[in-house]
Amino acid sequence: MGRGRADPSWVAVYGPAMAAPRDWWRTAVVYQVYIRSFADADGDGLGDVQGIRSRLGYLRDLGVDGLWINPWYPSPQADGGYDVADYRDIDPAFGTLDDARRLVDEAHRLGLRVLLDVVPNHTSVEHAWFRQALASPPGSPARARYIFRPGRDGGDTPPNDWRSVFGGPAWARTTGPDGSPGEWYLHLFAREQPDLNWRNPDVRAEFEDVLRFWFDRGVDGFRIDVAHGMVKHEDLPDLGVTGEALLAAPEGDDHPHWDRPEVHDVFRGWRRVADSYDPPRVFVAEAWVTTAERLAAYLRPDELHSAFDFTFIRARWDATALRAAIARSLADHARVGAPVTWTLSNHDVIRHATRLARTSPDPARDLHHVGGDADPAQGLRRARAAVLLLLALPGSAYLYQGEELGLFEVEDLPEDLLQDPVFARSGGAVKGRDGCRVPLPWARTGPSLGFGPGPGWLPQPASWADASVEAQAGDEDSTLELYRRALAMRRARRPSGALEWLQAGEGVLAFRAEPGVTLVLNTTPRPVPLPPGRVLLASVPLPDGMLPGDAAAWLAPGS
Ligand code: TEU
């Protein structure tokens, strides 16, 4: 693989808007750009780098501090780009390295930070290392970068009982040049995504170099894919359980492939790389671990800066449960001096306007995109209230593209258009994640509602014309304008310090966060009296002195 060298034309441009403190990430709001579905400049149906460049002004006006871009590297796209063939380039379908340089420079001039997505748990089968491994004999150094093993029972049974997150066994068998069956390789996700061996020094050196390649080009940080899965137990022991149980990491250090203690040393090395830059670069981990305490272990001072807290993705719409989960996350993060990174949605989970619309909510079921009864009006109402909760909390927040438009999960996509490998690997039982990845509607009209000059890679519901940016901009009652007002207010008084819980009635959550905004959230269907204070913002129109059901408000002292 080629080694990246600093390219002087890529020196980061930090304009006056970027003169923020070095710990900007502690209170930042970051907008997730799912590149395939954000904006398509060249009309091939897939979003691209030029598309993102053309919408940077929108992101600045929305009021976010930066963007995280999902993988844009060359990839056969077996898993939406999470199967990377070359970590130091851009897929021609998305653009060129030169386009990326312009994007980073322009974003910085607008005061926006740029985070990329690094995928270290696995590569694509098309990656040069994996091709080399397949072409090399068992026991060779090329195979040692991945996890190859002989099968059991004379070779025909997988080396252990691990299952892929996407369904089916986590092992695929290789075939020799003469067509004879050979060793098996591990893939915790699709078979096109072979797992790397993080006990191999080549792997560690390679990824530190990949980080430098992009940091040298001005990139401000990385989201780390499957940070909790990278290091496996040396002996690859059987799990002894099947199905769903595998997806939930148990508490403790001994799960053979999730949340193992050895991974922390990898991140100490990454932190040293990030800290060698001025300004220092940052990380946000995607780590599905069982408790806030275990998540906080990734955020010790010499490890990662931040990690998504999935509290809201898993929580019920209930003030008591929400309060308990928030308090736990705050306390566990405080112990390591890290801010909490709150989020409501991302490209893997059902859109929260639909999750919150469920009339018989079951967060576990929703995580798997299997559908259920929904009340869209309730969903949108709660989604608008939820973002006021999110943005009132101390710490950082990540928004998923389209949530500012109140978009719903598209649950009726025709099956022949589905691309998520989850659909095929589950034998059609799980519809998969395409429903939250439908291209954004920018305009009321056009073949893809302003996403691009032609149709997008997935069709948008007709109702999205009225949800488009064009339809909502300037309409005071729209969800887009609610987000803009909330983000502008938050920039003026970023909640950072302590949070004080306030007395509130049954089903109501209330707190005051330094430097002084009070949040009141009513999770019941009935109106409740508002506490005293001056209303700064509310998720619905407020009748005199009352907070309606499924609504939230921000208050300041005074009347
Ligand atoms: O996701 C990791 C993960 O375990 C889940 O979010 C999983 O994708 C989901 O529960 C399956 O329904 C990360 C990426 O965010 C995801 O898009 C990738 O598919 C996955 O890693 C593999 O790289």
Side-chain angles (χ1 to χ4, degrees), residues 79 82 122 166 189 223 225-226 286 288 347-348 433:
D79 180 24
Y82 282 94
H122 43 262
F166 293 159
F189 293 87
R223 177 256 190 194
D225 190 57
V226 198
E286 182 217 25
W288 290 90
H347 66 293
D348 288 331
R433 300 162 292 175

Side-chain angles (χ1 to χ4, degrees), residues 139-277:
S140 59
R143 288 212 172 179
R145 292 171 178 151
Y146 293 88
I147 303 181
F148 282 88
R149 290 289 184 281
R152 293 195 284 205
D153 305 333
D156 292 340
T157 311
N160 71 20
D161 66 358
W162 297 3
R163 312 269 305 166
S164 153
V165 173
F166 293 159
W171 296 90
R173 197 163 190 188
T174 58
T175 318
D178 59 354
S180 62
E183 286 190 313
W184 299 70
Y185 66 86
L186 178 72
H187 61 89
L188 287 182
F189 293 87
R191 65 177 292 140
E192 296 85 355
Q193 295 168 297
D195 279 54
L196 285 161
N197 173 15
W198 275 90
R199 295 175 184 274
N200 182 304
D202 284 3
V203 173
R204 293 186 59 149
E206 170 65 4
F207 274 87
E208 292 195 2
D209 198 67
V210 165
L211 298 176
R212 285 192 201 96
F213 178 89
W214 293 104
F215 290 158
D216 287 344
R217 283 154 180 79
V219 164
D220 298 281
F222 276 99
R223 177 256 190 194
I224 306 169
D225 190 57
V226 198
H228 59 305
M230 290 154 60
V231 185
K232 279 80 183 174
H233 192 297
E234 243 181 328
D235 305 331
L236 310 180
D238 274 341
L239 266 161
V241 284
T242 50
E244 293 298 297
L246 289 179
L247 300 181
E251 289 181 43
D253 278 339
D254 228 13
H255 190 282
H257 63 70
W258 292 142
D259 196 19
R260 292 198 57 78
E262 298 92 326
V263 80
H264 295 286
D265 191 51
V266 173
F267 295 139
R268 285 186 200 105
W270 286 25
R271 180 63 178 253
R272 287 191 290 273
V273 174
D275 281 348
S276 71
Y277 285 81

Side-chain angles (χ1 to χ4, degrees), residues 317-337:
W317 186 249
D318 167 78
T320 312
L322 287 170
R323 174 174 167 165
I326 293 168
R328 212 164 31 238
S329 290
L330 288 170
D332 287 334
H333 283 68
R335 229 167 277 141
V336 290

